[in-house]
Amino acid sequence: MVKRILTLVWKLLTSLEVAVILVLVLTAFMVVGALVPQGMDDEFYLKAWDEGTYHTFRDLGLLNIFHKPIFLVPAALFGLNLLCCSVDILRKFFPKNITAHFAVSALYHLALVGMFVGFVVTYLFSYGGEIWLKPGEAKRVPLKRGETTWARLAPRLGLAAPQNEETTYELRLKSFETEYVEKDGRIFVKDWISALEVVAEGDVVAAKRVEVNDPLVYGGMKYYQASFEQKIKFDVDGELRELEAGEALAVGDEKLMVSTVTGGTLLADDGPKPVGPYVELKQMPKDKWHRVVKDVRPGVRLSQGERTDVRGHDVAFLSYREASGFTYKRDPAVKYLWVLWIVFTALIAVRIYVQESALTWLRKED
Amino acid sequence: MLASIDKGVYVALVASYGFLAATYLLRRNGIAQLSWAVWLLHTFLLAVRWLEVGRTPFSTLYECLSLFAWSGVLAYLLVQRFGREKVRWSGVVLFAIMAAAMGYGATKDPTVKPLSPALDSIWFEVHVIPAFASYALFVAAFAFQLEFLVTAARRERLDFFSRKLILFAFPLLSFGIFSGAGWAEETWGTYWSWDPKETASLVTWCVYLAYIHASRSPRFARVPSRVLNILGFVSMMFTFLGFNVVARLLGLPTAHAYT
């Protein structure tokens, strides 16, 4: 009896039809997950929908579907199905009847199983956060081990949960700069660059110019150039105002949209040149200045220290200060996923482009 | 100069692809040679755009739609040339899709802008080229599948072409998705964030994965697998084009919208 049940379970787990059905079930959940915004805060949903819709979606678990058992259980079953199918191929054909065809097929299925395991490791153990630094500032980085999925699960399994800590080193921002390029008379941002130093016990132990697409890797952590912030100071009729780019500067009964400050290095054909700093003030329609950005009337460009007259009001751009924003991440699975990805891609390419005999299938049979 | 050639040829190609769709419908002689001539004109357009922008021309929707049409037509014409099957409806469908795609592209802003810092990476080509190659093969597979389904004499070779094209496209799509994940890891530190567009691309991958396995199963090999082929195409087109519109309508937050 037990043997019959086990045989049936094994048959189900190695069934091609079951694999197809599981993939389609997962696909259906993914379609929902693609169309319903996932993992946003309450405010976001309440802004977009009425309260009733929000509560219905939340109660059905559709706002965080990829972390709910409704998705995770079929995903785990699919992983199990993949593993059993790979083992079944090897069991049937190894060692006597194994051919290159079956070996490659079993191996790339196993690589996919390995990737599944990697995704689980990421899900359980990865953590990260963001850190803001002003030029010259140094900070320790919070290691949010206590906020991982594993930290939530461990106490339920009777194990000690990892705790939040801080790095033993400090991260110091030496400088932050923006590089620009010119095209048809207009200036575009090319890159944001932060000169970062890792300082341990007063010594600089590592340094790197961190750019978009080029993070600093240190002590198992990766630090990415993610964002920047500008606080811009204006003088309006002798009154000091400080705001961020994208905010509105009230001048009399007018509201002026403040652009990002353009300031840094222009990478021109004849070598690098300084550019700016200047800011643009755009007059917005009074009733909907915060919504219809396209409806702006021509703006005013103000260089640092320059003054202008806006309908009888004296406006000057005094100064600005910047901070650089970094995201950081520790994911113990990434290295293994890289290896498995290369193995999977190489094997599936061999299987299809080499073993399927390239284009010979196009020839008409005689 | 290059800009006006670019725009002029782009519009001419919209008309040419529409004309080819009509010609396939009317079954005129010499259609294959004419199709190749139009494809060569399209190759010229890509070369002009490349010169104009000074980088691989696949960053804006204007450019991507052109690349999509060029690669889809190439995949279709190659299979037609070496497969030596008489075709009609697949040609009508394929060229109508390409005329519509290029027509939509012609409404977009062709102005050349430098790449944004996040896109300015070697990963850009590594991610985009295999993804578009897979799209090209999927669209050709869809066209052959449709011809198989609508013709009274069910010609198995058309079904076979479709299956093989998907088999060839699948590793390319896999590579495109995985390289996108690698790029995201290098840029944002997260190889997968369940961004709606990422999820939509995974839906396409899953539908074709289901198709490949269904076509090998005695129970699912016929009707279910063909339905999955059609669904895969719909999903691929949604990921590529429909997503932009839906994201705007539903207010979906995404880091992957076309400009």
Side-chain angles (χ1 to χ4, degrees):
Chain A
M1 181 66 179
V2 175
K3 200 179 169 192
R4 274 183 68 188
I5 293 171
L6 284 176
T7 311
L8 183 71
V9 170
W10 180 255
K11 224 174 158 184
L12 274 174
L13 285 174
T14 54
S15 152
L16 201 58
E17 285 83 3
V18 169
V20 172
I21 291 165
L22 282 171
V23 169
L24 292 177
V25 168
L26 289 171
T27 306
F29 288 127
M30 284 182 216
V31 170
V32 176
L35 296 178
V36 178
Q38 297 292 302
M40 311 303 286
D41 50 26
D42 297 349
E43 204 183 329
F44 174 89
Y45 295 113
L46 289 167
K47 226 174 181 176
W49 307 330
D50 60 76
E51 213 164 313
T53 312
Y54 164 63
H55 286 298
T56 311
F57 275 57
R58 191 193 61 186
D59 296 345
L60 288 171
L62 301 181
L63 304 183
N64 209 1
I65 199 167
F66 300 117
H67 297 93
K68 299 279 179 194
I70 197 173
F71 179 79
L72 294 174
V73 169
L77 282 174
F78 178 59
L80 193 62
N81 172 271
L82 256 175
L83 177 65
C84 293
C85 286
S86 317
V87 171
D88 197 47
I89 295 171
L90 289 173
R91 192 179 64 91
K92 276 182 189 159
F93 300 100
F94 193 78
K96 282 185 184 167
N97 302 322
I98 194 82
T99 58
H101 179 99
F102 283 114
V104 169
S105 174
L107 288 175
Y108 71 69
H109 280 86
L110 281 173
L112 211 50
V113 174
M115 286 167 83
F116 245 82
V117 175
F119 302 151
V120 174
V121 171
T122 295
Y123 178 64
L124 288 176
F125 301 108
S126 71
Y127 60 86
E130 61 171 36
I131 184 168
W132 286 88
L133 292 170
K134 294 180 192 123
E137 191 179 17
K139 278 184 189 167
R140 286 182 194 276
V141 182
L143 301 175
K144 300 179 179 176
R145 293 192 177 110
E147 292 171 26
T148 57
T149 312
W150 176 246
R152 285 199 301 276
L153 281 177
R156 290 188 214 169
L157 301 170
L159 299 167
Q163 301 297 315
N164 284 345
E165 291 171 55
E166 275 190 336
T167 49
T168 52
Y169 57 85
E170 284 187 323
L171 211 57
R172 181 161 67 200
L173 179 64
K174 215 174 151 196
S175 63
F176 173 71
E177 64 168 317
T178 307
E179 285 181 346
Y180 299 87
V181 283
E182 196 173 24
K183 182 90 189 170
D184 301 328
R186 288 177 63 197
I187 284 180
F188 297 86
V189 171
K190 177 160 189 352
D191 211 348
W192 293 285
I193 301 157
S194 294
L196 269 184
E197 289 177 337
V198 178
V199 183
E201 294 171 2
D203 295 327
V204 176
V205 290
K208 184 175 167 80
R209 272 166 58 92
V210 175
E211 303 174 34
V212 178
N213 286 318
D214 190 12
L216 162 73
V217 184
Y218 185 80
M221 301 282 279
K222 281 187 173 179
Y223 297 94
Y224 301 87
Q225 179 66 60
S227 193
F228 69 97
E229 189 184 72
Q230 292 178 333
K231 299 268 188 200
I232 311 163
K233 273 189 186 162
F234 292 95
D235 175 346
V236 180
D237 294 330
E239 188 191 331
L240 196 68
R241 308 260 186 89
E242 187 174 64
L243 356 111
E244 285 180 32
E247 287 186 332
L249 176 69
V251 179
D253 60 351
E254 289 283 350
K255 279 184 169 164
L256 304 170
M257 167 79 95
V258 177
S259 75
T260 304
V261 175
T262 300
T265 307
L266 176 68
L267 304 177
D269 292 339
D270 52 347
K273 297 174 184 166
V275 60
Y278 61 80
V279 69
E280 282 180 87
L281 299 175
K282 291 181 179 177
Q283 229 163 358
M284 312 300 296
K286 278 179 196 165
D287 53 339
K288 46 189 178 180
W289 62 269
H290 59 293
R291 290 181 60 201
V292 189
V293 178
K294 280 183 184 166
D295 279 1
V296 292
R297 279 168 261 160
V300 180
R301 179 182 287 190
L302 268 182
S303 292
Q304 192 170 336
E306 197 182 350
R307 314 189 81 85
T308 191
D309 179 82
V310 178
R311 298 190 183 229
H313 297 275
D314 179 42
V315 179
F317 165 33
L318 298 179
S319 62
Y320 73 108
R321 55 198 171 88
E322 291 180 307
S324 183
F326 303 90
T327 52
Y328 60 93
K329 185 98 180 174
R330 182 180 168 85
D331 185 344
V334 164
K335 268 188 254 171
Y336 306 104
L337 282 169
W338 274 113
V339 173
L340 288 165
W341 171 51
I342 292 166
V343 170
F344 172 80
T345 310
L347 289 174
I348 201 169
V350 167
R351 172 76 184 82
I352 290 177
Y353 303 129
V354 180
Q355 295 181 336
E356 287 278 336
S357 317
L359 292 172
T360 52
W361 52 269
L362 274 171
R363 287 187 208 133
K364 223 165 188 166
E365 288 125 34
D366 295 327
Chain B
M1 174 69 176
L2 284 176
S4 51
I5 295 174
D6 171 13
K7 192 72 195 173
V9 176
Y10 204 106
V11 172
L13 281 168
V14 177
S16 305
Y17 285 138
F19 176 74
L20 283 173
T23 316
Y24 269 93
L25 185 68
L26 300 170
R27 293 175 163 166
R28 297 289 181 218
N29 287 335
I31 182 77
Q33 290 86 337
L34 189 61
S35 306
W36 278 109
V38 171
W39 179 80
L40 282 175
L41 179 68
H42 201 154
T43 309
F44 168 72
L45 171 76
L46 283 185
V48 166
R49 184 73 185 175
W50 202 318
L51 280 176
E52 192 187 351
V53 297
R55 53 165 166 74
T56 43
F58 338 125
S59 78
T60 62
L61 193 53
Y62 176 84
E63 292 166 354
C64 285
L65 283 161
S66 174
L67 176 69
F68 170 68
W70 179 84
S71 51
V73 168
L74 174 65
Y76 178 76
L77 292 179
L78 278 175
V79 175
Q80 202 194 94
R81 165 78 183 77
F82 293 105
R84 293 178 189 169
E85 270 300 306
K86 284 206 165 149
V87 286
R88 181 188 182 196
W89 293 107
S90 56
V92 176
V93 168
L94 186 117
F95 286 107
I97 290 171
M98 296 321 175
M102 295 283 290
Y104 180 47
T107 66
K108 297 288 160 191
D109 180 13
T111 314
V112 178
K113 290 175 192 156
L115 287 176
S116 68
L119 290 181
D120 195 2
S121 160
I122 181 69
W123 284 104
F124 180 58
E125 282 86 3
V126 173
H127 171 59
V128 173
I129 292 172
F132 271 89
S134 74
Y135 286 3
L137 295 166
F138 286 139
V139 75
F142 168 76
F144 285 118
Q145 185 73 85
L146 218 61
E147 174 129 21
F148 169 81
L149 290 172
V150 298
T151 44
R154 293 279 171 98
R155 284 178 292 157
E156 290 294 330
R157 262 177 74 78
L158 294 174
D159 198 34
F160 180 69
F161 284 170
S162 189
R163 189 149 37 92
K164 285 287 188 182
L165 282 167
I166 288 173
L167 212 54
F168 268 60
F170 190 73
L172 292 167
L173 182 66
S174 307
F175 189 83
I177 291 175
F178 292 149
S179 60
W183 187 4
E185 210 274 323
E186 280 299 301
T187 310
W188 300 314
T190 307
Y191 59 81
W192 196 263
S193 55
W194 293 110
D195 177 282
K197 181 125 182 176
E198 289 173 10
T199 312
S201 69
L202 191 61
V203 166
T204 304
W205 189 80
C206 283
V207 174
Y208 281 117
L209 179 75
Y211 169 85
I212 289 169
H213 288 84
S215 65
R216 290 182 178 211
S217 143
R219 271 190 217 163
F220 294 163
R222 292 192 169 271
V223 178
S225 78
R226 286 163 196 156
V227 171
L228 285 171
N229 186 350
I230 308 292
L231 281 178
F233 172 75
V234 172
S235 173
M236 184 268 283
M237 289 303 280
F238 174 79
T239 308
F240 176 36
L241 291 176
F243 176 79
N244 248 21
V245 180
V246 174
R248 223 174 301 136
L249 281 177
L250 299 179
L252 297 174
T254 177
H256 295 86
Y258 274 114
T259 53

